[in-house]
Amino acid sequence: MNASPAAPPSPDHSAARRALRWIGAESAAWAGTEGQRWLFVARTMLAAFSALWLAFRLGLDAPYTALATTLVLALPSSGMVLEKALYRFLGTLVGCSTALALVALFPQSPTVLFIGLALWVALCTGGAAMHRNQQSYSFVLAGYTAVMIAVPSVDAPSGVFALAVTRVTEVSLGILCSAVVHDVFFPRRHAGAVMRTVQARYSGFIGFCREVLAHRVTPADAELAHLKFAADIAALESGRAAAFFEAGHSRAQTRQLHAFNAAFMAALTTFYTLHRLSHRLRVAGTGPVLPLVEPMYAHLALAMGEELAPARLAHMRARLSDDIAAARAQLAAGPAVERAQQIDFDTAVELLERFAGNLADFAGLYHGLTQQKKQEVSDPGSYSPKTPPAIIVASGARAGVTLLVTAAMWYWLAWPATVNAILMATIFCALASSSPRPTALVRQVAVGFLIGAPLAFVTEFLMVPKADSYGPLVLAALPLFSLAAYLSSSPRWSGVGIGMGLFSATLVVPANLMHYDVESFLGNELALIMGVLVSYVMFRVVLPEHTMGHRGHVAAALWREARNACGARLHRLKRRFDNRVRDLLSQLNATAGPAPDAATRAVVRQGLTLLELGHAAIELRQLIAAAHAGAARDSLEAVLRALAGYLGTPSPASGQATLRAVLDAGTAVRAALPDAHPERRARLHTALTDLHSIYTSLLDQLSGEPHVPSPAA
């Protein structure tokens, strides 16, 4: 007998399951977005009011300083909190020590004291602009902490030591509470974000390479992609630095991430040079070289469409070797080709083989990281940011002038609350010095101050006075500080949230003995807002073109780095050169935003050309260092001298002189090929590839447009 068919589910049950699935999906989506933000707010508030409670229990003079410290240290991941906490502590110690020294040296000379403070703030702000990472925060803290301790001591220098000790104690308490809460209570580890960045970088680069090899990317789009990749390199190093402070992150992982970044830059640079050569060949449109190398591009793109496991990489490189051998045979069997076409072919082959090796290194490091395999790699050194000197000097000068201007306002206005204006102007001139859009940052902070002003007034005079114990006090202040923390967790409104939090922590000042003074509150409120507005005006007036990522300064710095590639110390020079050029492009990307204008794109195009020239110069220097004396070596040295002269003072005349030196060197190198032993012959072929790269890059640079290589090359 056949079993009776199962009864279909009732409509009510089906609707209930759909509703449950919908609720589950929506809950998961909320937990991954808004839920994370509210969890961040909860951690921040727990750290803030724990620090405030401990400050009350310990009887500290200014408990709100501990609370303000926790708000400043409120960051999305525990690694970022721990990193910033360390540098805040170091900066506070150095700043307090400097304030003690300055007040001890000039206790009865306010004018000299302010000049000393201005010089110290200028030095610290320049250091912050130079580093542009959490280390820069130590410089910022060292600068404005000295001002916070020294300025109130102008009229009472005997109290400076007590102020310094109190400041260190209160800041340390806030640091301790933030570190414990963010690392223990529902911590969000930064190591996971770093691995997601690694995976996105790898898949994005592989996809980009496939699109380029299939000729689906224009040169302009490729340049913008390189600009974004430069920003990715800086972001990965910043994330690695934060993850370093978390438990479970080892020194071996740090070396692997450094090596991953270095391998990525090497593959990216080689691929850019390969893409430029392919584009030149396609623009030329004739000749036997392009039909010979196009199948290699197609096979490489096909291989990159699959998982690049070690076996797959070995097969890809073997297939490439077979393709090269077949192409060489086909070229030899056909009619004689011109010298320039032979050089194009040899250069394409050299770049393809080099890129395949770079890709194998990059993929191997990627798989080691994602599969959590410990790899024995030599640490190539960390990615190190480098800021153009003019911007460093301008940032320091702006901050020093701002301090002197606000100090003069304090003297002429004879208004005690102006001390707060001095502090705010100094703080935000220093903090915004490392921002690509300092005026936008300060404007957002000013908006936060303006929004926080009435809310802080209501909290201070209508809600806090009704609190008769610590619990009601927390309930009274919680809405204001929660709103500030919530806004600071949004990339779009983070400046507003930071401004509101700092403003409220400065004005809503719970103390062991509360004192309510509306007149003093309004005066301090006005002074704080005035200080932020002064910093905004100073960024608009004092050297407004000298800001981070300004294309004029980036362009000049790119030329300097290319010039240094011709004469700087060779040890790890390629790595340092890559670092600095990518960092400059990252600065440019941060300033340009999602849609760079034509002038910015021109700087990117020039920067990538200079990157190609610099790499070729470094490789020539390495070949010269290993070469024997002779005509070939002398001619290569002449090329380097001419190229260094052109990069130092670019002009059509020096460019043409460099082109002539390259042609002479090519003749000398080819003359040395027949009698060279195999190892030297390989080096000479590499030299020809580098000479060809210099020649065609210079033609592009001198003409301003992609140029078809001359047969004389």
Side-chain angles (χ1 to χ4, degrees), residues 240 243-246 248-259 369 374-375 377-380:
R240 182 216 57 81
F244 180 79
F245 288 83
E246 296 177 347
H249 187 91
S250 65
R251 189 175 297 275
Q253 287 174 296
T254 293
R255 286 197 298 270
Q256 284 178 260
L257 286 168
H258 285 168
L369 284 169
K374 289 188 178 180
Q375 297 170 300
V377 295
S378 59
D379 190 349

Side-chain angles (χ1 to χ4, degrees), residues 216-274:
R216 290 195 290 265
V217 177
T218 65
D221 290 339
E223 290 161 1
L224 293 182
H226 281 271
L227 197 61
K228 301 299 183 185
F229 283 137
D232 289 345
I233 293 167
L236 180 59
E237 173 56 25
S238 177
R240 182 216 57 81
F244 180 79
F245 288 83
E246 296 177 347
H249 187 91
S250 65
R251 189 175 297 275
Q253 287 174 296
T254 293
R255 286 197 298 270
Q256 284 178 260
L257 286 168
H258 285 168
F260 179 80
N261 241 354
F264 176 66
M265 285 189 284
L268 189 60
T269 303
T270 302
F271 189 73
Y272 173 73
T273 307
L274 180 64

Side-chain angles (χ1 to χ4, degrees), residues 632-679:
R633 176 174 174 173
D634 293 342
S635 65
L636 294 179
E637 289 176 340
V639 170
L640 280 176
R641 288 193 297 270
L643 181 60
Y646 170 73
L647 294 172
T649 55
S651 67
S654 59
Q656 292 298 329
T658 307
L659 290 175
R660 287 193 297 271
V662 170
L663 295 175
D664 293 341
T667 301
V669 170
R670 279 188 292 273
L673 277 173
D675 299 329
H677 55 78
E679 184 179 350

Side-chain angles (χ1 to χ4, degrees), residues 39-229:
L39 192 59
F40 165 77
V41 172
R43 286 197 302 266
T44 303
M45 293 301 99
L46 179 59
F49 289 108
S50 297
L52 184 62
W53 182 82
L54 287 172
F56 277 137
R57 296 291 295 176
L58 295 173
L60 300 181
D61 294 339
Y64 61 89
T65 301
L67 181 145
T69 298
T70 62
L71 296 178
V72 170
L73 295 178
L75 292 168
S77 71
S78 58
M80 297 171 73
V81 171
L82 294 171
E83 182 187 23
K84 191 171 185 179
L86 172 64
Y87 292 122
R88 183 173 180 86
F89 178 72
L90 294 177
T92 300
L93 280 181
V94 173
C96 288
S97 301
T98 303
L100 290 173
L102 288 173
V103 173
L105 289 171
F106 314 111
Q108 304 297 329
S109 305
T111 302
V112 181
L113 175 62
F114 273 107
I115 292 174
L117 282 174
L119 291 174
W120 173 250
V121 167
L123 180 65
C124 292
T125 304
M130 180 171 61
H131 283 82
R132 299 193 347 270
N133 50 27
Q134 288 298 350
Q135 292 179 16
S136 71
Y137 188 57
S138 277
F139 286 88
V140 172
L141 259 292
Y144 77 71
T145 299
V147 176
M148 295 181 74
I149 302 302
V151 172
S153 303
V154 170
D155 296 326
S158 60
V160 66
F161 184 76
L163 279 175
V165 171
T166 301
R167 176 73 183 178
V168 172
T169 304
E170 292 162 350
V171 168
S172 299
L173 179 61
I175 287 173
L176 183 62
C177 290
S178 286
V180 170
V181 169
H182 286 276
D183 198 46
V184 173
F185 294 93
F186 301 103
R188 187 177 181 183
R189 303 299 182 193
H190 205 78
V194 170
M195 292 312 302
R196 287 191 294 272
T197 301
V198 166
Q199 291 167 348
R201 165 85 58 78
Y202 178 78
S203 60
F205 178 64
I206 296 299
F208 170 72
C209 291
R210 293 187 65 205
E211 291 292 307
V212 170
L213 292 171
H215 307 306
R216 290 195 290 265
V217 177
T218 65
D221 290 339
E223 290 161 1
L224 293 182
H226 281 271
L227 197 61
K228 301 299 183 185
F229 283 137

